[in-house]
């Protein structure tokens, strides 16, 4: 059995920093000894930046060449926090070198690439994990428990929204996120991917989709030369109706231009015996309505998550104090560690993330054909 897990982190931007924080937090919160989860090596676009970030994040070594990190004999796990278009090349190289892989979402630009990555990982027998972090929140772990034990009956409807305003200002410059070659789809790949993964986890597999996508701001000024513009190639807004395998219906929407929404992931699940409501902007609260309650005092109950709920106590012994985004990343890292070092089930892995990519491709197809499209359930065969 592997006694320690040595991390090689690629990319130190928004998510790279969140992962670096999560390794430290996971050790402190979950009692993982520091000699069992080691921040071994870090890669960035150039050596100076890599060295600077290694000092800040507490990694032992740094390189300006991610391929050197992947090949390094002292790296057990390659953690990919680079832009979407690099995930495939980096993951395939890591898998070929026999490394476990932790990739940020979306796993790939499209389902074909995701299948290739999954097949490679499964053939090599390495473990994989994908950063669909929101489902690691103790609040949503508890929501899943409530649903699984039947407290709200059989889910019949899922209404999910993931709106942010990071591109709401039309004068914000053109970037890799707006080009299909580098990002794939837009709000769909970036935001709705989380929502799709979450809906599958909480309700059931998605079996068909009917979608509408829109690029609202078609041109953006080029960074460094605002007189010139770049053509936006992917959706600012994504809407879809979905059908679930258990017969439930759903509506999912995502926007990157929704003024005022900062981490606006929210959902409402209606069951035959009650409802659940969640808003990521108040991530340690869950609202529960139970049809069986006394009609006179019936209403949505506001549950503040505390030590009685999954994983909360690792961070705080007092209820209602609330966790944050970086805490749920630490839960993700704890699962990663347990999955690799103690061979526990690891989810969502590349296979689960491939199912998300399959659905996102079907959303694009549905929009193009103006029609409902059936969704295949991934069987692991790469065609
Ligand atoms: P970012 O631009 O902030 O950071 C990307 C980093 O990768 C940069 O530091 C960049 O220098 C580095 N990089 C680029 N090319 C590289 C190369 N060839 N070698 C080494 N480093 C390289 O981007 P981000 O927002 O951190 O996004 C990274 C990934 O994380 C994306 O796939 C994105 O979808 C995902 N993401 C996930 C969440 C989440 O909630 N799970 C949130 C935001 C972003």
């Amino acid at each position: 059995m592997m006694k320690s897990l040595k991390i090689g982190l690629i990319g130190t931007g928004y998510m790279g920093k969140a992962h670096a924080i999560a390794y430290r937090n996971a050790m402190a919160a979950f009692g993982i000894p520091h000699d069992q989860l080691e921040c071994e090596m870090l890669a960035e676009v150039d050596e100076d930046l890599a060295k600077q970030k290694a000092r800040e994040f507490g990694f032992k070594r740094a390189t300006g060449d991610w391929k050197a990190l992947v090949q390094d004999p002292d790296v057990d796990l390659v953690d990919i926090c680079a832009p979407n278009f690099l995930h495939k090349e980096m993951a395939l190289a890591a898998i070929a070198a026999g490394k476990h892989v932790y990739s940020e979402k979306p796993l790939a630009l499209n389902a074909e690439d995701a299948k290739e990555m999954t097949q490679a990982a499964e053939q090599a027998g390495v473990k994989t994990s994908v950063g669909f972090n929101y489902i690691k929140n103790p609040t949503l772990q508890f929501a899943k428990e409530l649903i699984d034990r039947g407290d709200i009956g059989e889910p019949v409807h899922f209404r999910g929204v993931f709106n942010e305003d990071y591109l709401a200002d039309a004068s914000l410059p053109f970037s890799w996120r707006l080009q299909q070659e580098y990002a794939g789809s837009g709000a769909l790949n970036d935001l709705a991917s989380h929502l799709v993964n979450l809906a599958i986890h909480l309700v059931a597999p998605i079996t068909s989709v009917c979608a509408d996508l829109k690029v609202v701001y078609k041109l953006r000024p080029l960074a460094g030369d605002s007189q010139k513009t770049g053509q936006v190639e992917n959706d600012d807004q994504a809407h879809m109706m979905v059908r679930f395998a258990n017969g439930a219906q759903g509506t999912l929407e995502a926007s990157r231009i929704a003024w005022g929404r900062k981490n606006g992931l929210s959902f409402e699940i209606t069951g035959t015996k009650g409802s659940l409501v969640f808003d990521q902007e108040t991530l340690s609260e869950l609202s529960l309505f139970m049809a069986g309650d006394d009609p006179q005092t019936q209403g949505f109950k506001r549950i503040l998550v505390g030590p009685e709920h999954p994983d909360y106590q690792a961070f705080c012994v007092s209820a209602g104090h609330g966790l944050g985004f970086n805490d749920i990343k630490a839960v993700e890292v704890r699962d990663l560690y347990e999955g690799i070092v103690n061979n526990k089930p690891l989810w969502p892995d590349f296979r689960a993330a491939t199912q998300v990519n399959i659905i996102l491709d079907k959303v694009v197809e549905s929009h193009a054909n103006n029609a409902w499209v059936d969704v295949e359930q991934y069987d692991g065969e790469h065609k």
Side-chain angles (χ1 to χ4, degrees), residues 15-77:
M15 271 310 104
K17 181 165 188 172
H19 286 216
I21 294 169
Y23 291 122
R24 304 286 162 192
N25 280 352
M27 289 188 264
F30 296 105
I32 300 171
H34 276 235
D35 59 356
Q36 287 202 11
L37 187 59
E38 295 182 59
C39 294
E40 181 65 33
M41 195 173 189
L42 174 155
E44 251 300 342
V45 281
D46 66 60
E47 200 154 335
D48 286 347
L49 181 59
K51 280 184 176 159
Q52 180 201 326
K53 291 294 168 187
R55 278 197 301 275
E56 290 172 11
F57 293 179
F59 277 66
K60 288 183 208 155
R61 293 181 293 141
T63 174
D65 174 10
W66 67 264
K67 289 180 180 160
L69 178 147
V70 161
Q71 295 299 334
D72 192 278
D74 276 336
V75 167
D76 303 312
L77 169 90

Side-chain angles (χ1 to χ4, degrees), residues 185-198:
S185 58
L188 184 62
N189 227 357
D190 197 30
L191 301 173
S193 56
H194 280 292
L195 213 47
V196 164
N197 179 67
L198 201 142

Side-chain angles (χ1 to χ4, degrees), residues 9-17 19 43-46 49 53 63-66 80-87 90 103-106 131-134 162 176-177 189-190 194 263 325 329 332:
L9 173 70
I10 308 178
T12 62
Y14 174 19
M15 271 310 104
K17 181 165 188 172
H19 286 216
E44 251 300 342
V45 281
D46 66 60
L49 181 59
K53 291 294 168 187
T63 174
D65 174 10
W66 67 264
I80 303 171
C81 292
N84 302 358
F85 74 100
L86 291 166
H87 294 184
M90 290 174 172
S103 173
E104 261 310 328
K105 47 55 59 179
F132 288 116
N133 31 250
Y134 295 107
F162 198 172
W176 67 266
R177 293 184 188 281
N189 227 357
D190 197 30
H194 280 292
N263 193 196
F325 178 84
K329 273 286 183 203
E332 183 171 275

Side-chain angles (χ1 to χ4, degrees), residues 228-375:
K228 292 191 178 142
T229 53
Q231 181 90 36
V232 177
E233 294 174 351
N234 54 23
D235 51 286
D236 291 319
Q237 296 178 159
H239 291 178
M240 65 198 98
M241 292 190 290
V242 303
R243 294 182 184 129
F244 292 94
N246 70 338
Q249 294 173 291
T251 62
L252 278 63
E253 63 171 84
S255 170
R256 61 190 183 188
I257 60 161
W259 278 119
R261 297 297 175 195
K262 303 300 176 186
N263 193 196
L265 187 164
S266 61
F267 65 77
E268 179 159 344
I269 300 176
T270 307
T272 51
K273 293 200 270 177
S275 294
L276 281 174
V277 175
F278 172 77
D279 182 346
Q280 172 65 25
E281 287 177 356
T282 51
L283 79 167
S284 295
E285 295 181 27
L286 186 68
S287 293
L288 170 67
F289 182 97
M290 303 278 279
D293 285 354
D294 179 346
Q296 282 195 316
T297 54
Q298 194 177 52
F300 273 103
K301 193 192 295 180
R302 177 171 166 250
I303 299 167
L304 294 181
V305 176
E308 297 74 22
H309 299 106
D311 283 336
Y312 179 95
Q313 190 157 17
F315 298 93
C316 184
V317 293
S318 300
H321 284 50
L323 301 184
F325 178 84
N326 287 320
D327 298 318
I328 64 179
K329 273 286 183 203
V331 178
E332 183 171 275
V333 162
R334 187 277 318 270
D335 286 355
L336 179 76
Y337 171 81
E338 290 294 339
I340 295 172
V341 176
N342 293 325
N343 207 26
K344 296 213 174 132
L346 191 45
W347 193 92
D349 58 3
F350 275 18
R351 177 175 281 265
T354 295
Q355 188 61 40
V356 174
N357 268 118
I358 288 171
I359 292 166
L360 301 183
D361 278 10
K362 294 297 174 184
V363 166
V364 173
E365 187 183 326
S366 163
H367 169 74
N369 296 344
N370 222 11
W372 278 94
V373 175
D374 286 340
V375 172

